[in-house]
């Protein structure tokens, strides 16, 4: 069945002049009749679902207006205003927007802080009687996860999760349709969709992509086109008839919930509903078989005929004293290197184990997951015997993880299955019961059959289960390897689930382990192994997998094998320098570009100790690293998380250099910049990102904050004499304040640079108000600031 949402609420509140007293959400308290009148216009236009005026009614956003303790009052008033407008069949969706902050480790807001704020808001919405929870305009998959988990904890209402993507098909933090669908569908959302930022033309291919990646209904609420700025105001170009013309195409692409976002009005919804009534839902293709995992940036299928996926086993302190000692000391330098090395060696999943006796394993698991997921964009396998450590890993991982593992042993089995269901995770089923090891394939089949039944009773399905064939040591039991291979075959014959196992157990206690492991690896692949848990850095493994993929048809005609073979031959002709011979500044550059902040600080200190000057270190390694990551960002090869972490690593290196500066002079400053979000605008997420990257670019930053009057900007400029004043605005209503601030600065005689940026700005508008520089994103801001300061000093 097709459903029509309403259109923009903020646009209508602004037209009535009640959006700023002190915030749009508070209008339901101060002017309930007018809010109801807006809802009624949408109902009369044909909206099947209207959204409460609660987009920013969470305590983190309301704090900007001193209303953080009035969440319940605002939400209740908004729900009443919406209900008062409803027709007999109209449904009400409780609108839940972003917190306006980045979730740690990318920002200062913790996952739990965001989830708690969302849970308070959603409990209030559910208590006020809404029919859906609509989480919308979210730019980070991890924030969406926090909101969805909060919704599931607060109520049993159906949840609609709508992300905001750019024209590159990704959120600001790098998640596309595949990653979103893989993470959110098993987490329990009822509808997945897209809204805001783009018009229907740009969202059409993204809706089609999302529909291919999910079995759930898809929603879409486009803006009325891409805005242009006319006379200091944002103007959305698409008329009601223009928007209506896109409705049949959006439905054909897979959307079954359609509506409008910024710039749409009741007239738009009326025209769109007329077209929607002529449409029929588009048929959808079923998803492939197998188990789907995801990271923040991508998705991966296990089994079901998909390519063999290596699960890297190296982040496990069991039997590795150096790694265990490091985790005990709180250092993650070696762990991060292991993670990066395994990813480069071809691991598709990383197994994460924090099993060091005597430490808080749950706390360490959380830290490992948060920090490693920011530098390695792969799905994780959360490996622990402790349910609390497993839960910590799943909660803070920004994607869909795999649990390693659950067995038939009670009560642990039911506890882990319950955690898997809560966090939408997949599980590895181990054929153990806590008693004797099952020696035959038939015994293992019987045990996993029991665990599968329990998993399905807990709400999991075939798409959530991976079966472990249990590799035992050949030196202790000569028939064990053959029995494991037979187990793989029986699993494939009896269950539609992918298979895995830790291969290296087979060679324990024998010489030439790598050779035995390699032989077992090939034989296991032939017997149905889908996802071996193995050291991807081990000799032969990568090459054998590439060759085996040619033989089993996963690499049709050997195209990938041929390509990698040619590359390898080229590498042999020009061998890389041994690790010990690598130039210290090259190593520092690579550490910063990878976001390894501990290594960056260590290498900066070593470089200085070797007699490298601060200027040399800064210019060659640190600036070089940021130029490298900036280039990748511009080419779509890196996203905001990688950029932010590189900046953090650079700052860690800078901190070391500053400490040394007393003896050799301070690291050079490129110049001084004042940053501010203009008066009337309380959005500072983008400004804060610019501030972080500007500091990493070598600038001294004076951040005046948000909602800053022009007079305060001028006073700071007269006192600090900055090279550049940077002004930010997100709201269309505050564009005028930006122009007024620039006028005040110029009239005062300020001769420095002025840079502007913000979601609704364009280069043309920046020029029209006298800003010399327009930054479309944070890295563009840094690049222009460098060029401007350099030109000024010539």
């Amino acid at each position: 069945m097709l459903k029509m949402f309403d259109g923009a609420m903020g646009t209508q509140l602004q037209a009535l002049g009640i959006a700023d007293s002190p915030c749009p959400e508070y209008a339901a308290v101060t002017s309930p009749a007018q809010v109801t009148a807006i809802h009624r216009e949408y109902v009369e236009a044909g909206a099947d679902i209207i959204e409460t005026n609660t987009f920013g009614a969470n305590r983190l956003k309301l704090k900007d207006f001193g209303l953080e303790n009035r969440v319940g009052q605002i939400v209740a008033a908004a729900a009443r205003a919406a209900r008062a407008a409803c027709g007999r069949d109209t449904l009400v969706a409780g609108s839940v927007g972003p917190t306006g902050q980045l979730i740690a480790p990318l920002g200062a807001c913790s996952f739990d802080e965001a989830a708690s704020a969302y849970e308070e808001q959603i409990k209030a919405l559910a208590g006020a009687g809404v029919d859906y929870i609509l989480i919308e305009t979210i730019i980070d998959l991890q924030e969406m996860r926090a909101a969805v988990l909060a919704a599931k904890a607060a109520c049993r209402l159906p949840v609609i999760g709508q992300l905001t993507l750019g024209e590159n098909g990704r959120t600001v933090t790098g998640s596309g349709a595949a990653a979103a669908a893989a993470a959110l569908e098993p987490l329990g959302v009822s509808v997945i969709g897209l809204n805001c930022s783009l018009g229907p033309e740009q969202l059409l291919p993204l809706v089609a992509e999302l529909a291919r990646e999910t079995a759930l209904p898809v929603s879409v609420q486009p803006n009325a086109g891409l805005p242009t700025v006319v006379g200091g105001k944002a103007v959305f170009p698409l008329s009601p008839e223009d928007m209506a013309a896109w409705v049949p195409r959006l439905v054909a692409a897979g959307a079954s919930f359609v509506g409008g976002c910024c710039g749409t009005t009741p007239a738009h919804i009326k025209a769109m509903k007329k077209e929607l009534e002529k449409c029929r839902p588009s048929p959808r293709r079923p998803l492939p078989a197998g188990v789907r995992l995801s990271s923040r940036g991508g998705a991966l299928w296990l089994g079901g005929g998909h390519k063999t996926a290596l699960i890297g086993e190296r982040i496990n302190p069991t039997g590795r004293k150096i790694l265990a000692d490091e985790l005990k000391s709180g250092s993650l330098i070696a762990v991060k290197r292991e993670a990066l090395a395994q990813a480069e060696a071809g691991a598709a999943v990383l197994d994460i184990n924090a099993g060091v006796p005597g430490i808080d394993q749950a706390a360490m698991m959380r830290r490992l997951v948060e920090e490693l997921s920011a530098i390695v964009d792969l799905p994780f396998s959360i490996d622990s015997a402790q349910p609390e450590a497993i839960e910590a890993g799943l909660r803070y991982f920004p994607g869909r993880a795999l649990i390693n593992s659950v067995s038939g042993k009670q009560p642990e089995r039911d506890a882990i299955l319950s955690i898997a269901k809560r966090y939408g995770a997949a599980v590895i089923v181990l054929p153990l019961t806590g008693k004797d090891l099952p020696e035959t394939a038939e015994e293992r089949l019987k045990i996993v059959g029991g665990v599968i039944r329990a998993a399905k009773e807990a709400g999991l399905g075939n798409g959530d289960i991976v079966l472990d064939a249990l590799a035992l040591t050949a030196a202790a039991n000569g028939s064990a390897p053959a029995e494991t291979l037979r187990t793989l075959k029986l699993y494939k014959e009896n269950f539609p689930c992918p298979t895995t196992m830790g291969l290296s157990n087979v060679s324990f206690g024998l010489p030439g382990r790598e050779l035995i492991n390699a032989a077992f690896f090939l034989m296991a692949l032939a017997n149905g192994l889908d996802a071996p848990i193995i050291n991807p850095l081990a000799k032969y493994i990568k090459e054998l997998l590439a060759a085996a993929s040619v033989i089993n048809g996963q690499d049709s005609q050997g195209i990938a094998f041929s390509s990698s073979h040619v590359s390898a031959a080229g590498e042999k002709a020009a061998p890389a320098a041994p690790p010990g011979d690598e130039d210290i500044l090259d190593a520092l550059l690579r550490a910063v570009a990878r976001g390894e902040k501990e290594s960056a600080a260590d290498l900066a200190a070593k470089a200085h100790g070797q007699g490298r000057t601060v200027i040399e270190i800064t210019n060659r390694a640190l600036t070089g690293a940021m130029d490298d990551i900036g280039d990748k960002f511009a080419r779509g090869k890196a996203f905001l998380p990688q950029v932010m972490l590189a900046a953090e690593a650079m700052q860690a290196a800078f901190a070391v250099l500053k400490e040394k500066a007393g003896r050799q002079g301070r690291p050079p400053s490129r110049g001084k910049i004042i940053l501010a979000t203009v008066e009337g605008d309380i959005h500072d997420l983008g400004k804060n990102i610019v501030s972080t990257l500007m500091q990493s670019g070598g600038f001294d930053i004076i951040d005046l904050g948000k909602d800053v009057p022009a007079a305060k900007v001028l006073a700071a400029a007269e006192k600090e004499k900055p090279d550049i004043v940077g002004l930010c605005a997100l709201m269309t209503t505050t564009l005028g304040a930006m122009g007024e601030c620039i006028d005040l600065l110029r009239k005062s005689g300020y001769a420095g640079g002025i840079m502007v940026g913000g979601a609704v700005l364009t280069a043309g508008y920046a020029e029209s108000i006298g800003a010399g520089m327009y930054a479309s994103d944070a890295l563009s801001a840094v690049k222009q600031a460098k060029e401007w300061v350099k030109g000024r000093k010539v």
Side-chain angles (χ1 to χ4, degrees), residues 752-773:
I754 297 179
M755 180 186 294
V756 297
V760 296
L761 261 73
T762 63
Y765 181 69
E767 185 179 359
S768 73
I769 59 175
M773 290 171 276

Side-chain angles (χ1 to χ4, degrees), residues 372-531:
L372 294 181
S373 64
I375 64 170
V376 178
D377 190 22
L378 293 177
F380 284 1
S381 166
I382 307 301
D383 185 356
S384 178
Q386 296 183 359
E388 57 272 25
I390 290 173
E391 181 160 12
L394 299 181
R395 183 170 179 81
Y396 301 108
F397 181 64
R400 188 190 198 209
L402 178 65
I403 295 174
N404 185 10
S405 57
V406 62
S407 71
K409 185 181 178 184
Q410 284 282 50
E412 290 86 346
R413 183 196 73 184
D414 290 347
I416 292 172
L417 291 176
S418 172
I419 292 169
K421 179 61 180 173
R422 190 179 315 144
Y423 291 98
V427 293
I428 293 175
V429 175
L430 202 59
L432 296 173
T433 59
K435 301 175 183 175
D436 296 332
L437 284 175
E439 293 193 359
T440 68
E442 286 74 16
E443 289 176 88
R444 296 172 196 180
L445 196 70
K446 182 178 179 183
I447 293 171
V448 300
V451 180
I452 289 172
R453 284 193 293 276
K456 292 186 175 178
E457 287 170 7
L460 304 184
N462 292 332
D464 306 313
I465 297 170
V466 181
L467 302 179
D468 191 313
L470 191 60
L472 300 178
T473 305
N477 181 350
S479 63
E483 204 61 28
T484 298
L485 297 177
R486 206 164 68 82
T487 303
L488 284 171
K489 289 189 73 172
L490 278 183
Y491 281 172
K492 285 294 180 185
E493 291 168 6
N494 288 275
F495 304 113
C497 302
T499 56
T500 186
M501 63 181 174
L503 281 164
S504 56
N505 291 342
V506 73
S507 62
F508 187 76
L510 294 172
R513 291 190 66 183
E514 287 187 336
L515 198 56
I516 293 175
N517 291 344
F520 192 47
F521 173 62
L522 278 183
M523 296 177 76
L525 291 180
N527 281 274
L529 180 62
D530 297 302

Side-chain angles (χ1 to χ4, degrees), residues 612-698:
R612 303 298 182 98
T613 67
V614 172
I615 291 176
E616 184 184 10
I617 296 169
T618 301
N619 289 344
R620 185 174 149 194
L622 305 188
T623 303
M626 292 310 295
D627 288 346
D628 180 50
I629 196 75
D631 177 62
K632 288 179 178 173
F633 182 85
R635 291 185 289 113
K637 302 297 183 184
F639 296 93
L640 189 60
Q642 289 77 40
V643 174
M644 295 292 285
L645 286 167
E648 191 178 337
M650 184 174 184
Q651 288 176 359
F654 260 136
V656 170
L657 297 180
K658 283 180 180 176
E659 190 179 325
K660 310 290 184 186
R663 293 188 294 277
Q664 199 184 43
R666 294 179 61 78
S669 169
R670 289 183 181 273
K672 186 185 291 183
I673 297 178
I674 287 177
L675 292 177
T677 301
V678 299
E679 186 172 18
D681 203 323
I682 49 83
H683 300 87
D684 65 353
L685 180 58
K687 173 184 66 61
N688 293 341
I689 294 170
V690 170
S691 176
T692 299
L693 296 186
M694 285 286 194
Q695 290 180 60
S696 300

Side-chain angles (χ1 to χ4, degrees), residues 25 168 281 333 385 444 492 572:
E25 290 76 13
N168 63 355
I333 292 177
R444 296 172 196 180
K492 285 294 180 185
K572 285 174 187 174

